[in-house]
Each structure stands twice: as C-alpha cells, then as structure tokens.
Amino acid sequence: MNLKIRFRRFIAKYLSSLVELVYLIKFKTIRFNKPPIIILTPGKVGSTSVYYTLKNEAPNQVFHIHNFSKEGIEKSIRDHIHSNRKSKPLHLIISKILRKKFKTYTGKLFIISIIREPISREISSFFQNTDQYKDILENKKLEIDINIAQKILQEKFETDICKELKDWFDLEIKGNFGIDVFAQKFDYDNKYVISQNNHNHLLLLKMEDLDSVFPVAIKDLLSLDAPMQLQKSNVSDNKFYASTYNNIKNNIKLDQKAISQIVNSDFFQNFYLQDKSKVIDKWSKN
C-alpha cells in the first residue's frame, strides 16, 4: 500500500504535465452523441460511486469533477500546489480541460450534485486530502499521527465550513449553470430535487440516501426505462488511513460555538434541518 501511495504522489508531482497532455488528446476525440453528464460536487459525498455507476451503465459521456468555474479551478490548484502536496490532483487537470471543451457546447446537459451532513463530510474530506499535510501528519512509514490529525480537524471546525459549502454551490452551480439550490427547500419526501435552467438539468440528492434514492432519481433525470442500481466505489473503510479515520470519526466532539454555527447556517437549515437533534447529539461535547 505504501509503495502505491508513493508512486501516485511521484506521478502527481513530476509527471502532471504529461498526464495533462494525455487527457488533452483524449478529450479532443470526445463527441456528445447524447447529452453529457457532469458530476460536480464537493469532495467526499459519494460521487465516485455515482461516477463509476454511470460510466459503466449509461450511454452518455460522464465526467467527474469538483470545480468547473475558472475561479474555483485556479484557487483549488493554488491551494494544492502551496500545500505539502505541491502538485495538482487529476480532477483539477480534468476540470481545466473540460471547461474549455464545454465553451462551444450549447446542447442539453445533465448535472448531478450531492450533499452530505457537513461534519461527516469535513472529516472524510480531510482524510482524503492528507497529502496536503503529509510533512507534519505522517511518519516515514506514511502512518498518520492521530493527535496531529485531530488538532488540524479541530482548527478546521473553528472556521465556517457551511459557508464554504454555500459559497461552493453559489460559485459552481449557480455561477456556471444558473440554478440556485437555495431558492427552494429540499424535498424531504422524495429526497431529491431536479431543477432546470434552459438546457441545464440538475439533480441534487443526499449522500445519506444514495443507496435507496439514486436508482429512482437517476431514472427520473435521464428518463430511463428502468432504475439503475448504485455501485459502491472509493469507500473510506478500504483506504490506508481507515483505522485512524474511524477512530477520529467515532470520537471527535465539537464545542457549542462550532455546533451552533453549523446548525444555524443556510446550508444546514435548507438541507438538514430535520436532522438537527441527531447531529447535535452525535457531535456535541455536551
């Protein structure tokens, strides 16, 4: 496992230009015979499972990214390069190329975005991106120091993580496709929402409901004859950091200020209000 991680980091740091060239060539041959699907989400919301399911089962071209706006792509690239990682992740290479590809596309477009309870998402996202902290977080065997990890996470929860999520949706979904996901309350009965602006069709659903809701929601979005079952991918329990991740996930608690900021945010009020008591009970120090 350690060798695989080191090899991946070597490619990201020293061969990203070659990787970008390969994808530039690959994307030039892509033709949109059917409306393309862009899975555009914040990280760690189950989107990899959705991507591989659609890639394997749908006749459409499918793309999986976390930024589509010029501003979002450039900021994320800077953040990664100026971190301990010092390289661009593949999804940002794809984002840059995909944005250029779609400049001349005017046809029907399907966008899928997924939300997740924000505290769980923040913890999972941190572990997915440990490369950014590897110089202070890992020893020579790539083992993660649980105390340092918990300290960094506690500092993250002192920031307004839900404002960051709202800003992401305003920039990446509203800014690119003209669809404001905060304009209406989430449909707690159907557990997904399909919105439309001109030729852009957005499916918004929750990670917590993916297994049960995805088959129906994707059938509705793509007008399929039958539901499509979700195939699981990129599960945290299979990662090299699984033990430390599960330890922190099961034991970290937030102070009242952080909890209040989260549950009173626009993001939480719009999408997770019904889970307020459960979230407070699970994550509060009190």
Side-chain angles (χ1 to χ4, degrees):
M1 179 64 78
N2 285 357
L3 184 61
K4 183 179 178 181
I5 296 165
R6 293 182 193 279
F7 183 64
R8 175 178 58 79
R9 290 176 176 178
F10 176 86
I11 291 175
K13 187 172 182 178
Y14 297 107
L15 300 177
S16 63
S17 296
L18 178 60
V19 171
E20 188 162 352
L21 177 61
V22 169
Y23 273 87
L24 271 169
I25 296 170
K26 178 181 178 181
F27 272 52
K28 280 188 177 181
T29 65
I30 290 175
R31 298 292 180 267
F32 300 135
N33 298 319
K34 289 183 176 291
I37 302 170
I38 297 180
I39 301 164
L40 176 59
T41 70
K44 300 310 294 179
V45 293
S47 54
T48 301
S49 296
V50 172
Y51 169 67
Y52 281 109
T53 300
L54 291 170
K55 185 179 179 183
N56 293 334
E57 302 294 335
N60 315 62
Q61 291 286 350
V62 186
F63 307 95
H64 179 211
I65 55 175
H66 300 303
N67 298 96
F68 191 71
S69 68
K70 184 174 184 291
E71 178 183 342
I73 293 168
E74 290 178 349
K75 180 183 182 303
S76 193
I77 288 174
R78 287 196 304 271
D79 289 345
H80 281 87
I81 289 177
H82 295 155
S83 72
N84 292 162
R85 178 187 173 110
K86 295 181 171 56
S87 64
K88 289 183 289 188
L90 178 60
H91 69 84
L92 288 171
I93 291 174
I94 293 173
S95 293
K96 280 182 63 179
I97 301 170
L98 192 64
R99 180 176 170 81
K100 292 178 182 177
K101 181 79 176 178
F102 272 89
K103 277 188 176 179
T104 57
Y105 180 74
T106 58
K108 188 175 185 179
L109 175 64
F110 295 117
I111 309 111
I112 299 174
S113 201
I114 307 168
I115 52 178
R116 181 180 182 181
E117 183 269 295
I119 300 173
S120 298
R121 194 206 75 86
E122 191 69 27
I123 296 170
S124 185
S125 179
F126 167 74
F127 278 95
Q128 179 71 23
N129 292 285
T130 53
D131 286 14
Q132 296 186 48
Y133 308 92
K134 61 185 177 64
D135 292 354
I136 61 171
L137 192 61
E138 300 173 352
N139 61 23
K140 291 182 179 180
K141 296 180 180 179
L142 305 187
E143 296 167 335
I144 294 173
D145 187 310
I146 192 169
N147 294 318
I148 295 175
Q150 185 147 338
K151 182 176 183 294
I152 295 172
L153 270 168
Q154 290 289 359
E155 290 173 354
K156 282 181 170 291
F157 286 118
E158 291 175 6
T159 65
D160 196 341
I161 62 169
C162 287
K163 182 179 184 302
E164 291 175 7
L165 286 169
K166 184 178 186 303
D167 289 347
W168 184 93
F169 275 97
D170 286 344
L171 178 65
E172 300 296 344
I173 301 298
K174 184 179 178 181
N176 286 310
F177 308 107
I179 298 173
D180 184 359
V181 301
F182 297 95
Q184 59 180 336
K185 290 294 182 183
F186 189 76
D187 188 340
Y188 285 101
D189 294 325
N190 290 322
K191 298 182 180 179
Y192 71 93
V193 175
I194 294 178
S195 306
Q196 180 179 349
N197 178 42
N198 296 324
H199 60 279
N200 299 320
H201 300 254
L202 171 72
L203 167 63
L204 181 69
L205 64 168
K206 293 182 177 181
M207 177 180 171
E208 293 82 2
D209 302 319
L210 272 180
D211 286 343
S212 59
V213 172
F214 174 81
V216 176
I218 202 67
K219 178 178 182 290
D220 190 3
L221 178 71
L222 302 181
S223 300
L224 302 176
D225 294 331
M228 184 185 296
Q229 297 303 314
L230 186 69
Q231 304 165 14
K232 290 292 184 68
S233 300
N234 199 29
V235 180
S236 293
D237 286 345
N238 298 331
K239 299 285 188 173
F240 76 98
Y241 54 70
S243 177
T244 308
Y245 167 71
N246 285 322
N247 190 317
I248 288 184
K249 181 180 67 172
N250 293 331
N251 292 287
I252 194 169
K253 301 294 179 183
L254 308 187
D255 61 31
Q256 187 59 47
K257 180 180 177 182
I259 291 288
S260 295
Q261 186 175 63
I262 289 166
V263 300
N264 291 318
S265 68
D266 289 342
F267 179 88
F268 194 94
Q269 292 285 313
N270 206 69
F271 301 122
Y272 285 93
L273 187 58
Q274 292 187 352
D275 299 320
K276 181 177 179 179
S277 297
K278 184 169 66 175
V279 168
I280 291 173
D281 291 343
K282 180 176 181 179
W283 299 110
S284 177
K285 286 181 179 179
N286 299 325

